[in-house]
Amino acid sequence: MNKINSNVLRRIGGAMLACLMGAAAMGFASPASAQSYPNKPIRLIVPYPPGGGTDIVARLVAAKMQQKFGQPVLVENKAGASTVIGTESVAKAAPDGYTIGLITDSHVLNPYFLPNLPYDSAKDFQPVSQLAFITLMLVANPSLKVGSLQELIALAKAKPGKLTYASIGKGTPHHMAMEWLKSMAGIDLLHVPYRGVAPALTDLVGGQVDVMFTGTSSAKPFVDNKKLVPLAVSSAKRQEAFPDIPSVAEAGLPGYDLVTWYGVVAPAGTPPEIVSRLNSGIADALNQQDVKERLVTLGVAGAASTPEEFSNFMKHESEKFARIIKDTGLKAD
């Protein structure tokens, strides 16, 4: 009996030793793998359609990262389901640095409006870096005959529930921006959600809806040709590119400050050395002068950060939106 037990123990011991040696080998291989990273193409998943602001910024940064790394950085658009389709593909990818994803503030908003997400927005991702901040602009159809935020508020109070506003969907930053403004101003506007910026702006210009918040780059062509009237920007202060347009706070709602943002994440478990390489590539891209100039023309402010800074920023944003949701009484469908 003792002899049998000894044989069993020797076998178990041998198996455990093999496992330990394998684990040690993996541990020693990790730095070497990180040092050679990347040695094949990197996929940058963008959970939005081609041609929009997120796609343009992603391709601009990807091109510069490709130059730095000497490997293709391929932008792959996976739009749909309020960014869930593309973001899920990042969450479930191998944590090896070869699949990364662009996210926006919808990433921290979705958990409040989509309770059955197929991933955990915090635990299933490794923050890499912020990319940019984008200010929203409140614009109105000229037929509304308002030239300022205060005039819009006065008209809305005179016609409660009669004025309409467009957004790119419930739970989006554009939606939150207007709901927060409504709450602070004590007005009632009817929400008309769309499936994208283009159809919303088309109906706004056509007079089917009255006002909306949209990105400054999206609004600028229509403001320049007088098809839309700019009322305010959503940031705490005026924007350098639009010095004549006051902020919402300056125009009568002090404390209002909401800007949208882009960032990059990797699947949870991506080795720190690889995250650091990706972070460096993004920072280098955003620091190049031609990239800075192109972002200005888009109304976008480049904003590289450390992974830790980006993680803390997203926690702060989630808490901010929780307060806005509580104050406005918004609920998931």
Side-chain angles (χ1 to χ4, degrees):
M1 190 73 175
N2 290 337
K3 184 176 181 180
I4 294 174
N5 286 341
S6 297
N7 290 335
V8 170
L9 288 172
R10 278 198 296 272
R11 289 173 186 172
I12 294 174
M16 289 180 66
L17 180 61
C19 289
L20 290 170
M21 290 178 66
M26 290 176 66
F28 286 120
S30 179
S33 175
Q35 288 171 8
S36 63
Y37 173 87
N39 55 25
K40 63 180 182 179
I42 299 169
R43 292 193 307 155
L44 172 55
I45 306 297
V46 176
Y48 294 90
T54 48
D55 183 62
I56 293 171
V57 173
R59 292 180 187 277
L60 187 64
V61 172
K64 296 299 183 180
M65 292 175 69
Q66 181 168 308
Q67 292 176 9
K68 177 181 176 67
F69 291 153
Q71 290 289 342
V73 180
L74 308 173
V75 173
E76 185 175 327
N77 299 94
K78 286 192 173 186
S82 299
T83 74
V84 172
I85 292 175
T87 306
E88 181 183 10
S89 70
V90 177
K92 295 183 177 179
D96 56 9
Y98 291 101
T99 299
I100 57 178
L102 182 145
I103 62 169
T104 67
D105 32 12
S106 289
H107 188 75
V108 297
L109 272 168
N110 278 345
Y112 295 110
F113 293 94
L114 303 172
N116 297 316
L117 286 172
Y119 52 78
D120 186 305
S121 294
K123 295 179 181 178
D124 290 342
F125 300 90
Q126 166 60 54
V128 176
S129 175
Q130 283 183 259
L131 277 182
F133 289 112
I134 306 91
T135 297
L136 300 177
M137 186 183 294
L138 178 61
V139 288
N141 185 281
S143 66
L144 205 58
K145 300 187 184 305
V146 296
S148 69
L149 175 59
Q150 286 303 322
E151 289 180 4
L152 173 65
I153 292 173
L155 183 61
K157 287 183 175 179
K159 298 181 177 182
K162 300 297 184 183
L163 302 186
T164 56
Y165 80 91
S167 82
I168 60 172
K170 185 170 183 178
T172 61
H174 306 67
H175 177 213
M176 299 296 294
M178 187 63 82
E179 288 297 320
W180 195 19
L181 186 149
K182 283 172 52 182
S183 177
M184 291 182 71
I187 58 176
D188 181 20
L189 283 74
L190 179 64
H191 180 210
V192 183
Y194 288 80
R195 294 197 174 193
V197 172
L201 280 171
T202 296
D203 275 8
L204 179 61
V205 171
Q208 281 73 43
V209 287
D210 297 314
V211 297
M212 77 174 291
F213 271 108
T214 188
T216 52
S217 59
S218 300
K220 188 177 186 301
F222 299 100
V223 169
D224 288 346
N225 63 23
K226 310 298 183 184
K227 290 186 176 181
L228 292 176
V229 179
L231 304 180
V233 292
S234 65
S235 51
K237 298 180 180 179
R238 297 190 184 207
Q239 293 296 295
E240 184 178 349
F242 307 96
D244 297 328
I245 303 176
S247 67
V248 171
E250 180 186 356
L253 299 178
Y256 188 100
D257 179 17
L258 189 151
V259 294
T260 63
W261 48 266
Y262 306 158
V264 173
V265 295
T270 302
E273 298 87 353
I274 289 177
V275 172
S276 179
R277 285 276 287 158
L278 288 166
N279 180 274
S280 174
I282 292 169
D284 285 356
L286 292 175
N287 281 329
Q288 295 191 34
Q289 189 60 33
D290 59 332
V291 173
K292 291 180 180 180
E293 292 172 357
R294 176 65 173 134
L295 291 179
V296 169
T297 66
L298 295 170
V300 173
S305 71
T306 67
E308 293 76 20
E309 288 169 341
F310 189 28
S311 177
N312 291 333
F313 172 78
M314 284 194 287
K315 290 176 184 176
H316 172 78
E317 285 287 282
S318 180
E319 292 167 357
K320 179 184 74 176
F321 284 125
R323 290 194 300 271
I324 294 173
I325 290 167
K326 181 180 178 181
D327 291 344
T328 57
L330 289 174
K331 296 179 181 179
D333 291 330

